[in-house]
Amino acid sequence: MLLQILPLLVLCLFAQGQTFTEPVRAPGADPHIVYINGNYYLTNTQQSFISVTRSPTLGGLATGETQTVWTDTDPSRNSNFWAPEMHQIDGIWYIFYTAGDANGNQRSWVLKGCETDPYDCTYTFQAELTPVAGGQGGSDGNTPWSIDSTYLVVGNTRYHVVSAFNAQGTQSIQIAELDTSAWTVGNWSVISSPTEAWEMQNPENDTGEPVAVNEGPNALYYNGNIWLSFSASWCGTPTYSLGLLAYDGNGDPMQQSSWTKAGPVFQSANGNYGTGHNVFFMSPDNTQIWNGYHATQNSAGSCGSDRYTMAQIVNFDSNGNPDLGTPVAQGTAIGVPSGE
């Protein structure tokens, strides 16, 4: 009898090991996740420092080993550490991040790490990624404020993408060529501004005016096609949601006409509100693309520490377009990424 039961027990244990339970990590605002050499690595907004968490399983990130990898004493960049991202460029791990002074003068910066992995690096300050005066944001091109920087490659050209103010003073997705030899960026060019109703939902203040925001860009690559996701409306509303910019494959990525906007493609559901600021990451065997994002259970929305990280697989329709699905409820058991 014992010999008959043992295979069933093994099968049950195996089946149990094939799921994880949402959320992936709490708190976990503005998540960024990569998988490399047997581990998932996660970083997210921590305000006064940058940390990295690692785990061999996606579900293990909830309690994975975590260490602080960066603090700063420079008063121009030692406050409001937001939305760090880990990118491997020419074999070296870099962290792109937002930080500013105590008055909220946010800028985009980059740290240089090592070849091993994002966790084991000793990071050094690399550069500020802001265009020269005249090529920045605002009506005169002299507003250097930017947040949520990310890395994009189109063909053989590297780009830096941020949320910065357009000529009308509205937070917009802007792009610049990135020179990773000198670690400088060219002039910003707007490729998306909030112009549709879903991008301007709910007032931030008592004026009753809608808050128009595009922020949090992240690149998605699939079958030779390229998209940039972005978050629209203000993070402190339940209508904070994801949109997609589809690159046409031929035009100049610096031109808005080369991108087609769609949205919302992912929005509040099943007790998750303000579902945004996402990252696309690969499964361990590189056969699946997953969507990591943050949400809150506060039905009014939140920009605070009550946001948590969730993750779900991305599917693609018969035309090769991404389908991000619907956010599942907290406590839902989801099959692990392929190859885990």
Side-chain angles (χ1 to χ4, degrees), residues 164 166 170-173 190 192-201 211-215 230-233 256 261:
N166 65 10
T170 303
Q171 260 186 260
S172 303
I173 303 301
V190 175
S192 178
S193 292
T195 57
E196 300 178 8
W198 67 275
E199 301 173 284
M200 301 183 287
Q201 291 292 308
V211 177
V213 173
N214 279 182
E215 63 184 17
F230 65 97
S231 300
S233 294
Q256 188 168 348
K261 181 186 295 185

mmCIF file of all heavy atoms in Angstrom, residues 164 166 170-173 190 192-201 211-215 230-233 256 261:
data_model
loop_
_atom_site.group_PDB
_atom_site.id
_atom_site.type_symbol
_atom_site.label_atom_id
_atom_site.label_comp_id
_atom_site.label_asym_id
_atom_site.label_seq_id
_atom_site.Cartn_x
_atom_site.Cartn_y
_atom_site.Cartn_z
ATOM 1 N N ALA A 164 8.839 62.984 -19.289
ATOM 2 C CA ALA A 164 9.281 64.370 -19.065
ATOM 3 C C ALA A 164 8.197 65.306 -19.588
ATOM 4 O O ALA A 164 7.263 64.889 -20.270
ATOM 5 C CB ALA A 164 10.611 64.618 -19.779
ATOM 6 N N ASN A 166 6.284 67.956 -21.816
ATOM 7 C CA ASN A 166 6.283 68.443 -23.188
ATOM 8 C C ASN A 166 6.171 69.975 -23.196
ATOM 9 O O ASN A 166 6.220 70.614 -22.135
ATOM 10 C CB ASN A 166 5.169 67.780 -24.014
ATOM 11 C CG ASN A 166 3.767 68.135 -23.522
ATOM 12 O OD1 ASN A 166 3.580 69.014 -22.688
ATOM 13 N ND2 ASN A 166 2.763 67.447 -24.052
ATOM 14 N N THR A 170 2.977 68.973 -19.888
ATOM 15 C CA THR A 170 2.305 67.728 -19.567
ATOM 16 C C THR A 170 3.301 66.572 -19.589
ATOM 17 O O THR A 170 4.132 66.480 -20.511
ATOM 18 C CB THR A 170 1.179 67.448 -20.582
ATOM 19 O OG1 THR A 170 0.265 68.544 -20.588
ATOM 20 C CG2 THR A 170 0.434 66.174 -20.226
ATOM 21 N N GLN A 171 3.203 65.695 -18.608
ATOM 22 C CA GLN A 171 4.081 64.529 -18.563
ATOM 23 C C GLN A 171 3.849 63.645 -19.774
ATOM 24 O O GLN A 171 2.738 63.150 -19.990
ATOM 25 C CB GLN A 171 3.819 63.712 -17.292
ATOM 26 C CG GLN A 171 4.819 63.952 -16.171
ATOM 27 C CD GLN A 171 4.577 63.008 -15.015
ATOM 28 O OE1 GLN A 171 3.964 63.404 -14.027
ATOM 29 N NE2 GLN A 171 5.045 61.776 -15.133
ATOM 30 N N SER A 172 4.902 63.427 -20.547
ATOM 31 C CA SER A 172 4.812 62.717 -21.811
ATOM 32 C C SER A 172 5.965 61.718 -21.934
ATOM 33 O O SER A 172 6.983 61.837 -21.254
ATOM 34 C CB SER A 172 4.878 63.714 -22.981
ATOM 35 O OG SER A 172 3.848 64.680 -22.878
ATOM 36 N N ILE A 173 5.793 60.741 -22.821
ATOM 37 C CA ILE A 173 6.876 59.803 -23.104
ATOM 38 C C ILE A 173 7.806 60.455 -24.119
ATOM 39 O O ILE A 173 7.375 60.854 -25.209
ATOM 40 C CB ILE A 173 6.333 58.465 -23.650
ATOM 41 C CG1 ILE A 173 5.329 57.853 -22.670
ATOM 42 C CG2 ILE A 173 7.494 57.506 -23.911
ATOM 43 C CD1 ILE A 173 5.866 57.563 -21.292
ATOM 44 N N VAL A 190 9.239 63.977 -28.134
ATOM 45 C CA VAL A 190 7.980 63.427 -27.625
ATOM 46 C C VAL A 190 7.425 62.390 -28.600
ATOM 47 O O VAL A 190 7.286 62.663 -29.797
ATOM 48 C CB VAL A 190 6.934 64.536 -27.412
ATOM 49 C CG1 VAL A 190 5.595 63.945 -27.003
ATOM 50 C CG2 VAL A 190 7.419 65.541 -26.383
ATOM 51 N N SER A 192 4.702 60.279 -27.219
ATOM 52 C CA SER A 192 3.332 60.096 -26.732
ATOM 53 C C SER A 192 3.023 61.123 -25.660
ATOM 54 O O SER A 192 3.781 61.270 -24.699
ATOM 55 C CB SER A 192 3.126 58.691 -26.168
ATOM 56 O OG SER A 192 1.811 58.541 -25.663
ATOM 57 N N SER A 193 1.898 61.801 -25.822
ATOM 58 C CA SER A 193 1.350 62.689 -24.801
ATOM 59 C C SER A 193 -0.067 62.233 -24.488
ATOM 60 O O SER A 193 -0.739 61.639 -25.337
ATOM 61 C CB SER A 193 1.334 64.143 -25.281
ATOM 62 O OG SER A 193 2.642 64.649 -25.415
ATOM 63 N N PRO A 194 -0.543 62.488 -23.276
ATOM 64 C CA PRO A 194 -1.909 62.083 -22.931
ATOM 65 C C PRO A 194 -2.946 62.949 -23.640
ATOM 66 O O PRO A 194 -3.113 64.119 -23.309
ATOM 67 C CB PRO A 194 -1.951 62.260 -21.414
ATOM 68 C CG PRO A 194 -0.875 63.251 -21.107
ATOM 69 C CD PRO A 194 0.179 63.068 -22.141
ATOM 70 N N THR A 195 -3.622 62.358 -24.611
ATOM 71 C CA THR A 195 -4.612 63.097 -25.390
ATOM 72 C C THR A 195 -5.974 62.413 -25.379
ATOM 73 O O THR A 195 -6.967 63.023 -25.796
ATOM 74 C CB THR A 195 -4.149 63.225 -26.852
ATOM 75 O OG1 THR A 195 -3.917 61.908 -27.388
ATOM 76 C CG2 THR A 195 -2.868 64.042 -26.952
ATOM 77 N N GLU A 196 -6.019 61.153 -24.935
ATOM 78 C CA GLU A 196 -7.266 60.402 -24.944
ATOM 79 C C GLU A 196 -7.866 60.371 -23.539
ATOM 80 O O GLU A 196 -7.150 60.492 -22.534
ATOM 81 C CB GLU A 196 -7.013 58.988 -25.463
ATOM 82 C CG GLU A 196 -6.450 58.984 -26.886
ATOM 83 C CD GLU A 196 -6.150 57.592 -27.403
ATOM 84 O OE1 GLU A 196 -6.518 56.599 -26.720
ATOM 85 O OE2 GLU A 196 -5.541 57.476 -28.491
ATOM 86 N N ALA A 197 -9.166 60.185 -23.456
ATOM 87 C CA ALA A 197 -9.883 60.290 -22.187
ATOM 88 C C ALA A 197 -9.325 59.353 -21.130
ATOM 89 O O ALA A 197 -9.207 59.728 -19.955
ATOM 90 C CB ALA A 197 -11.368 60.014 -22.411
ATOM 91 N N TRP A 198 -8.966 58.114 -21.514
ATOM 92 C CA TRP A 198 -8.467 57.151 -20.523
ATOM 93 C C TRP A 198 -7.110 57.538 -19.957
ATOM 94 O O TRP A 198 -6.702 57.009 -18.927
ATOM 95 C CB TRP A 198 -8.416 55.751 -21.141
ATOM 96 C CG TRP A 198 -7.403 55.593 -22.246
ATOM 97 C CD1 TRP A 198 -7.575 55.891 -23.561
ATOM 98 C CD2 TRP A 198 -6.065 55.122 -22.117
ATOM 99 N NE1 TRP A 198 -6.427 55.632 -24.279
ATOM 100 C CE2 TRP A 198 -5.478 55.151 -23.405
ATOM 101 C CE3 TRP A 198 -5.288 54.671 -21.046
ATOM 102 C CZ2 TRP A 198 -4.169 54.756 -23.654
ATOM 103 C CZ3 TRP A 198 -3.976 54.268 -21.294
ATOM 104 C CH2 TRP A 198 -3.428 54.307 -22.583
ATOM 105 N N GLU A 199 -6.414 58.467 -20.615
ATOM 106 C CA GLU A 199 -5.112 58.934 -20.136
ATOM 107 C C GLU A 199 -5.232 60.143 -19.223
ATOM 108 O O GLU A 199 -4.219 60.644 -18.726
ATOM 109 C CB GLU A 199 -4.228 59.319 -21.325
ATOM 110 C CG GLU A 199 -3.964 58.211 -22.314
ATOM 111 C CD GLU A 199 -3.220 58.711 -23.532
ATOM 112 O OE1 GLU A 199 -3.843 59.357 -24.402
ATOM 113 O OE2 GLU A 199 -2.007 58.463 -23.588
ATOM 114 N N MET A 200 -6.431 60.603 -18.987
ATOM 115 C CA MET A 200 -6.641 61.835 -18.231
ATOM 116 C C MET A 200 -7.755 61.651 -17.211
ATOM 117 O O MET A 200 -8.607 62.526 -17.036
ATOM 118 C CB MET A 200 -6.981 62.985 -19.183
ATOM 119 C CG MET A 200 -5.903 63.256 -20.215
ATOM 120 S SD MET A 200 -6.269 64.670 -21.299
ATOM 121 C CE MET A 200 -7.546 63.983 -22.342
ATOM 122 N N GLN A 201 -7.745 60.536 -16.524
ATOM 123 C CA GLN A 201 -8.835 60.188 -15.614
ATOM 124 C C GLN A 201 -8.589 60.688 -14.196
ATOM 125 O O GLN A 201 -7.470 60.589 -13.677
ATOM 126 C CB GLN A 201 -9.021 58.674 -15.575
ATOM 127 C CG GLN A 201 -9.574 58.093 -16.862
ATOM 128 C CD GLN A 201 -11.004 58.508 -17.105
ATOM 129 O OE1 GLN A 201 -11.869 58.352 -16.248
ATOM 130 N NE2 GLN A 201 -11.272 59.059 -18.282
ATOM 131 N N VAL A 211 -6.108 64.884 -14.527
ATOM 132 C CA VAL A 211 -4.655 64.827 -14.465
ATOM 133 C C VAL A 211 -4.167 63.995 -15.639
ATOM 134 O O VAL A 211 -4.416 62.800 -15.713
ATOM 135 C CB VAL A 211 -4.192 64.213 -13.135
ATOM 136 C CG1 VAL A 211 -2.684 64.095 -13.107
ATOM 137 C CG2 VAL A 211 -4.663 65.074 -11.984
ATOM 138 N N ALA A 212 -3.511 64.647 -16.576
ATOM 139 C CA ALA A 212 -3.040 63.987 -17.789
ATOM 140 C C ALA A 212 -1.595 63.551 -17.596
ATOM 141 O O ALA A 212 -0.711 64.383 -17.367
ATOM 142 C CB ALA A 212 -3.161 64.937 -18.973
ATOM 143 N N VAL A 213 -1.339 62.241 -17.690
ATOM 144 C CA VAL A 213 -0.013 61.700 -17.436
ATOM 145 C C VAL A 213 0.289 60.546 -18.391
ATOM 146 O O VAL A 213 -0.558 59.687 -18.617
ATOM 147 C CB VAL A 213 0.122 61.179 -15.981
ATOM 148 C CG1 VAL A 213 1.455 60.469 -15.775
ATOM 149 C CG2 VAL A 213 -0.025 62.317 -14.980
ATOM 150 N N ASN A 214 1.506 60.533 -18.939
ATOM 151 C CA ASN A 214 2.124 59.353 -19.547
ATOM 152 C C ASN A 214 3.464 59.153 -18.846
ATOM 153 O O ASN A 214 4.292 60.078 -18.809
ATOM 154 C CB ASN A 214 2.376 59.552 -21.044
ATOM 155 C CG ASN A 214 1.168 59.340 -21.932
ATOM 156 O OD1 ASN A 214 1.274 59.445 -23.152
ATOM 157 N ND2 ASN A 214 0.015 59.048 -21.342
ATOM 158 N N GLU A 215 3.699 57.946 -18.304
ATOM 159 C CA GLU A 215 4.944 57.681 -17.590
ATOM 160 C C GLU A 215 5.230 56.181 -17.601
ATOM 161 O O GLU A 215 4.469 55.379 -18.156
ATOM 162 C CB GLU A 215 4.856 58.201 -16.148
ATOM 163 C CG GLU A 215 3.786 57.531 -15.294
ATOM 164 C CD GLU A 215 3.662 58.140 -13.902
ATOM 165 O OE1 GLU A 215 4.158 59.260 -13.691
ATOM 166 O OE2 GLU A 215 3.059 57.496 -13.028
ATOM 167 N N PHE A 230 3.327 51.919 -21.404
ATOM 168 C CA PHE A 230 3.419 53.117 -20.579
ATOM 169 C C PHE A 230 2.203 53.156 -19.667
ATOM 170 O O PHE A 230 1.199 52.473 -19.909
ATOM 171 C CB PHE A 230 3.500 54.391 -21.431
ATOM 172 C CG PHE A 230 2.264 54.672 -22.236
ATOM 173 C CD1 PHE A 230 1.291 55.551 -21.780
ATOM 174 C CD2 PHE A 230 2.062 54.057 -23.468
ATOM 175 C CE1 PHE A 230 0.150 55.808 -22.517
ATOM 176 C CE2 PHE A 230 0.916 54.309 -24.215
ATOM 177 C CZ PHE A 230 -0.041 55.183 -23.740
ATOM 178 N N SER A 231 2.304 53.935 -18.601
ATOM 179 C CA SER A 231 1.204 54.091 -17.657
ATOM 180 C C SER A 231 0.553 55.449 -17.863
ATOM 181 O O SER A 231 1.241 56.449 -18.097
ATOM 182 C CB SER A 231 1.702 53.954 -16.221
ATOM 183 O OG SER A 231 2.274 52.679 -16.023
ATOM 184 N N ALA A 232 -0.777 55.471 -17.787
ATOM 185 C CA ALA A 232 -1.522 56.695 -18.069
ATOM 186 C C ALA A 232 -2.456 57.040 -16.924
ATOM 187 O O ALA A 232 -2.901 56.168 -16.179
ATOM 188 C CB ALA A 232 -2.318 56.542 -19.364
ATOM 189 N N SER A 233 -2.787 58.326 -16.829
ATOM 190 C CA SER A 233 -3.473 58.940 -15.692
ATOM 191 C C SER A 233 -2.523 58.970 -14.494
ATOM 192 O O SER A 233 -1.403 58.498 -14.559
ATOM 193 C CB SER A 233 -4.793 58.244 -15.370
ATOM 194 O OG SER A 233 -5.718 58.435 -16.431
ATOM 195 N N GLN A 256 6.998 60.730 -33.418
ATOM 196 C CA GLN A 256 5.728 60.228 -32.892
ATOM 197 C C GLN A 256 4.940 59.465 -33.955
ATOM 198 O O GLN A 256 4.216 58.513 -33.647
ATOM 199 C CB GLN A 256 4.902 61.391 -32.341
ATOM 200 C CG GLN A 256 3.648 60.964 -31.608
ATOM 201 C CD GLN A 256 3.010 62.096 -30.826
ATOM 202 O OE1 GLN A 256 3.618 63.156 -30.637
ATOM 203 N NE2 GLN A 256 1.796 61.890 -30.359
ATOM 204 N N LYS A 261 -0.625 54.307 -30.838
ATOM 205 C CA LYS A 261 -1.063 54.148 -29.453
ATOM 206 C C LYS A 261 -2.313 53.289 -29.353
ATOM 207 O O LYS A 261 -3.229 53.403 -30.178
ATOM 208 C CB LYS A 261 -1.332 55.515 -28.831
ATOM 209 C CG LYS A 261 -1.773 55.483 -27.374
ATOM 210 C CD LYS A 261 -2.171 56.870 -26.874
ATOM 211 C CE LYS A 261 -1.004 57.819 -26.858
ATOM 212 N NZ LYS A 261 -1.368 59.136 -26.264
#
